[in-house]
Amino acid sequence: MTKLTSPRVIAVIQARVGSTRLPGKVLRDLAGAPVLEWVVRAAKAAQGIDQVVIATSVDPGDDAIASFGADQGIEVVRGSEDDVLSRFLLAAEVTGADAVVRLTADCPLLDPMVISQVVSLWRCDPSIDYVSTTQFRSLPRGLDVELATVAALTAADERTESYHRAHVTSALYEEGAGFSCAALTFRPTTAQYRVTLDTAEDAALLEELAPLLPQVPPRWRDVVGILDERPDIVAINAHIEQKALSEG
């Protein structure tokens, strides 16, 4: 009798030291730990994740990220700085993954429960190619979670446009792409808030917010609850224009 095995899901944290607006942000200290460590904690605490991998570039500047991964006992894959999609496919190949959860290292307040729910939605129906919290955004920017099957990413790998290769999943959800997509939304909608790390103002907000969190990794409702009560903190980065997608 053939033994049935559950699809293997890995969390891939894309990280690099270079940043046009805030260099070195992913290794910046936040309440006593590097920002990247916050993301790793969230990924490890999520249910349904079989392995956590850091995907960085071969640029010498990212040696520090590779060293961080080694110190943490986390698999690190390195590839093209600009072709982030190839890094994800390398991570999938090295780990034998069936699906990949995409996390970005500039999102220290990721909620493990949100990651778990994205994975659970896909495990209930593995025929879905792509699941995300971003297609119909209902959470603050910086709590984004995406899952894509390796089969879908492999198909996307046939695309040559640099935009798609840099942003990994964009080829899956664009109009007419032909992939099956599902969105995970939350109520109440709190998409007006921003807790990602891309600018000095973002860093200032996170430094004010982090000590107020009742637990780490945080829960999105705790994050939102604090922001609802502290408009002074919200105002720190309210004027920042968000980029379309996070860097990697």
Side-chain angles (χ1 to χ4, degrees), residues 39-243:
V39 182
V40 168
R41 289 174 184 169
K44 285 185 172 181
Q47 298 295 312
I49 297 293
D50 295 302
Q51 186 174 350
V52 178
V53 179
I54 295 172
T56 192
S57 84
V58 294
D59 187 278
D62 288 327
D63 289 350
I65 290 176
S67 295
F68 170 89
D71 292 342
Q72 296 282 323
I74 299 171
E75 181 85 43
V76 177
V77 298
R78 305 185 71 171
S80 167
E81 182 174 6
D82 299 319
D83 188 351
V84 188
L85 174 58
S86 68
R87 284 191 247 156
F88 273 70
L89 289 172
L90 177 58
E93 179 183 355
V94 167
T95 60
D98 298 293
V100 172
V101 173
R102 180 192 181 210
L103 306 174
T104 56
D106 54 4
C107 296
L109 302 190
L110 284 166
D111 183 343
M113 294 298 293
V114 174
I115 300 171
S116 301
Q117 289 175 317
V118 168
V119 175
S120 178
L121 194 160
W122 179 76
R123 286 193 185 276
C124 288
D125 185 1
S127 68
I128 299 172
D129 297 309
Y130 174 75
V131 182
S132 82
T133 63
T134 59
Q135 284 185 283
F136 302 99
R137 184 181 296 280
S138 59
L139 292 175
R141 291 186 180 273
L143 301 185
D144 305 341
V145 180
E146 299 174 279
L147 179 149
T149 66
V150 174
L153 291 177
T154 300
D157 190 42
E158 298 177 1
R159 305 287 294 273
T160 58
E161 297 94 329
S162 59
Y163 177 86
H164 292 309
R165 306 202 68 82
H167 295 102
V168 185
T169 58
S170 57
L172 305 184
Y173 56 77
E174 68 178 4
E175 186 175 356
F179 294 97
S180 59
C181 301
L184 186 65
T185 58
F186 298 82
R187 294 292 180 268
T189 297
T190 54
Q192 72 273 20
Y193 294 138
R194 172 187 170 93
V195 293
T196 189
L197 176 59
D198 193 39
T199 69
E201 292 89 344
D202 295 334
L205 181 144
L206 290 168
E207 287 164 3
E208 289 286 332
L209 180 58
L212 304 177
L213 295 169
Q215 61 182 324
V216 176
R219 298 295 182 261
W220 75 268
R221 291 189 184 278
D222 291 332
V223 172
V224 167
I226 294 169
L227 296 177
D228 283 344
E229 295 179 358
R230 294 289 303 272
D232 57 312
I233 294 179
V234 175
I236 294 173
N237 69 354
H239 62 288
I240 301 297
E241 182 178 353
Q242 175 69 22
K243 294 186 298 183

